[in-house]
Amino acid sequence: MKADIVTIFPDFFRGPLEYGITRRAQEMGLAEIRVHDLREFTRDRHRTVDDRPFGGGEGMVLKPEPLFECLEKMNLAARDERVARSTKQSVILLSAQGQRFTQKVGAELALLDRIVLVCGRYEGVDERVADFLADRELSIGDYVLSGGEIAAAVIVEAVMRLLPGAVGNEASTQQESFTVDVKLKGPGADSTCGSKGLLDYPHYTRPAEFRGMAVPEALMSGNHEEIRRWRRQRALEKTWRNRPDLLEGATLSEEDRTFLSGIRNEA
Ligand code: SAH
């Protein structure tokens, strides 16, 4: 997968994309990330990327011309094809007004060949970019950042770790929090977990006892059925406590429902 990031702060990405799985994915040739300096697409002496808003009001707005020119140099498929999803490319404008970026959207993006991430700054980006250049607007959450750079890094990291081969054990990315579509076959790890839309279950490692805090006994039992049940119940409990909204879309068994009504009654 190719990821192009368009920003007025190219140096910002020196750190975030050079560690862990994102670095590995690039070294393995699974991903190629290119950072484009928007100022290189300006034509004036001062390399101006922003201007005052029409209609008055606070702050500055990123101008359309450098963004259009930058993307025109990328040899992308036409916007119509991207909007129709008939090409495996997407141009994404990072925006607090965008659709929410979720694990599901990340999984969709991981199937593409190329994503372009346009980072806004100041009061935002001239709306013609959203209307005629980008094919979608994504927000990483309901809060306002000063720029799209951190949001772009979040999306790149979430997507790169879903590329086949990027994470050593592929099963692990299918059993995490928010993952609805579990594709694992056969018994083994699948029978013990699989988030199916819930938050992940708690993890423990050695030592079995640390400063008087013991690892839950069920995990030490060696009894696979007991471990599976314990993990599932903790995942249900945590989801119910921290993110009850996720229970609506989760795949729940009869056993899950009985357990949930038990803890609801206790509360
Ligand atoms: N005036 C805008 C905020 C502009 S913040 C508003 O009220 O909606 C400047 C830039 O930061 C935006 O253009 C966008 O690229 C980025 N940004 C801010 N919050 C974001 C979020 N939650 N998700 C993604 N990008 C965000």
Side-chain angles (χ1 to χ4, degrees), residues 74-87:
M74 289 185 193
N75 284 323
L76 296 165
R79 184 173 182 270
D80 304 353
E81 291 171 37
R82 291 187 264 116
V83 172
R85 310 264 160 103
S86 61
T87 166

Side-chain angles (χ1 to χ4, degrees), residues 3 26 49 54 100-101 116-117 120 153 160 172 179 211 214 228-229:
Q26 293 176 86
V49 290
F54 276 124
R100 186 89 59 88
F101 177 73
V116 179
L117 298 151
M160 295 291 147
S172 73
T179 309
R211 298 188 183 171
R228 183 203 64 79
R229 195 179 328 111

Side-chain angles (χ1 to χ4, degrees), residues 94-97 118-125 138-141 143-148 151:
L94 283 318
S95 166
Q97 302 138 41
V118 177
C119 305
R121 274 276 154 184
Y122 315 118
E123 285 306 312
V125 181
L138 289 179
S139 161
I140 61 161
Y143 36 79
V144 178
L145 304 166
S146 314

Side-chain angles (χ1 to χ4, degrees), residues 63 88 161 191 240 265:
K63 291 158 65 62
K88 289 187 158 195
R161 62 197 302 288
S191 63
W240 176 71
N265 287 340

Side-chain angles (χ1 to χ4, degrees), residues 2-248:
K2 279 192 182 141
D4 295 273
I5 302 174
V6 181
T7 172
I8 59 167
F9 295 131
D11 288 345
F12 175 92
F13 293 95
R14 276 174 198 260
L17 304 179
E18 288 172 10
Y19 292 93
I21 292 165
T22 317
R23 179 197 185 126
R24 221 174 78 126
Q26 293 176 86
E27 285 171 354
M28 290 169 76
L30 299 173
E32 188 187 326
I33 304 174
R34 269 182 289 178
V35 180
H36 305 263
D37 181 356
L38 187 61
R39 287 193 201 278
E40 284 179 13
F41 299 87
T42 55
R43 289 160 187 270
D44 63 315
R45 207 154 52 87
H46 302 291
R47 308 177 90 204
T48 312
V49 290
D50 59 331
D51 208 337
R52 304 198 59 86
F54 276 124
E58 295 303 309
M60 301 296 273
V61 176
L62 278 187
K63 291 158 65 62
E65 310 96 301
L67 285 166
F68 274 78
E69 289 189 22
C70 175
L71 267 70
E72 277 156 9
K73 293 249 162 76
M74 289 185 193
N75 284 323
L76 296 165
R79 184 173 182 270
D80 304 353
E81 291 171 37
R82 291 187 264 116
V83 172
R85 310 264 160 103
S86 61
T87 166
K88 289 187 158 195
Q89 300 183 354
S90 186
V91 174
I92 298 158
L93 174 65
L94 283 318
S95 166
Q97 302 138 41
Q99 287 171 343
R100 186 89 59 88
F101 177 73
T102 59
Q103 187 70 11
K104 184 161 174 276
V105 176
E108 285 164 22
L109 295 180
L111 299 174
L112 302 181
D113 297 333
R114 191 166 188 192
I115 55 173
V116 179
L117 298 151
V118 177
C119 305
R121 274 276 154 184
Y122 315 118
E123 285 306 312
V125 181
D126 185 289
E127 194 70 12
R128 285 167 289 193
V129 170
D131 288 344
F132 302 106
L133 187 62
D135 43 73
R136 62 201 299 178
E137 288 177 87
L138 289 179
S139 161
I140 61 161
D142 292 350
Y143 36 79
V144 178
L145 304 166
S146 314
E149 285 75 12
I150 287 181
V154 165
I155 292 179
V156 167
E157 174 149 333
V159 171
M160 295 291 147
R161 62 197 302 288
L162 294 178
L163 298 177
V167 173
N169 174 9
E170 218 160 290
S172 73
T173 55
Q174 297 187 16
Q175 293 169 22
E176 294 171 315
S177 301
F178 313 116
T179 309
V180 181
D181 186 17
V182 179
K183 297 184 212 81
L184 292 175
K185 290 180 209 92
D190 185 30
S191 63
T192 57
C193 26
S195 124
K196 295 189 182 114
L198 300 179
L199 298 179
D200 198 5
Y201 56 80
H203 302 270
Y204 293 89
T205 185
R206 276 173 288 197
E209 186 168 328
F210 168 66
R211 298 188 183 171
M213 298 175 277
V215 169
E217 243 166 65
L219 296 179
M220 320 290 283
S221 69
N223 177 333
H224 292 302
E225 176 52 23
E226 196 181 333
I227 295 170
R228 183 203 64 79
R229 195 179 328 111
W230 184 89
R231 286 181 165 165
R232 187 69 186 169
Q233 293 182 349
R234 297 297 80 70
L236 285 162
E237 212 166 61
K238 202 161 195 178
T239 309
W240 176 71
R241 195 167 0 105
N242 291 347
R243 291 292 306 277
D245 57 302
L246 293 178
L247 288 175
E248 316 254 313

